[in-house]
Amino acid sequence: MNLPFLRRDRHLTALHPPLHDQRHQVSSTFSYGRCRFVLECSCGAEFDTPYIDEALEIRELHERLGPLADEMAAL
């Protein structure tokens, strides 16, 4: 059975951006006054959430998708 969408192409790994881009260094802290996790990126983006799992997911998504958004803005 030939399913083209299940194929594992080696060149697709080149599409994933590096995790540590200089323009997207995310720092995270916990604000005790607001009881929220606060994420701040060096590009100026800010996020806050009361849930640690959501904060970790937002951090990972921003580190991976931030450089792609920069590339799209350049086009």
Side-chain angles (χ1 to χ4, degrees), residues 1-14:
M1 178 183 264
N2 186 11
L3 300 174
F5 55 87
L6 291 178
R7 212 173 46 200
R8 304 250 186 236
D9 292 332
R10 296 194 189 276
H11 70 278
L12 290 179
T13 57

Side-chain angles (χ1 to χ4, degrees), residues 5-42:
F5 55 87
L6 291 178
R7 212 173 46 200
R8 304 250 186 236
D9 292 332
R10 296 194 189 276
H11 70 278
L12 290 179
T13 57
L15 296 177
H16 298 292
L19 282 177
H20 301 290
D21 187 8
Q22 296 298 331
R23 294 171 289 180
H24 295 282
Q25 295 291 324
V26 180
S27 63
S28 56
T29 58
F30 184 77
S31 173
Y32 288 99
R34 297 187 295 165
C35 293
R36 296 178 79 81
F37 295 95
V38 180
L39 297 139
E40 296 176 349
C41 183
S42 59

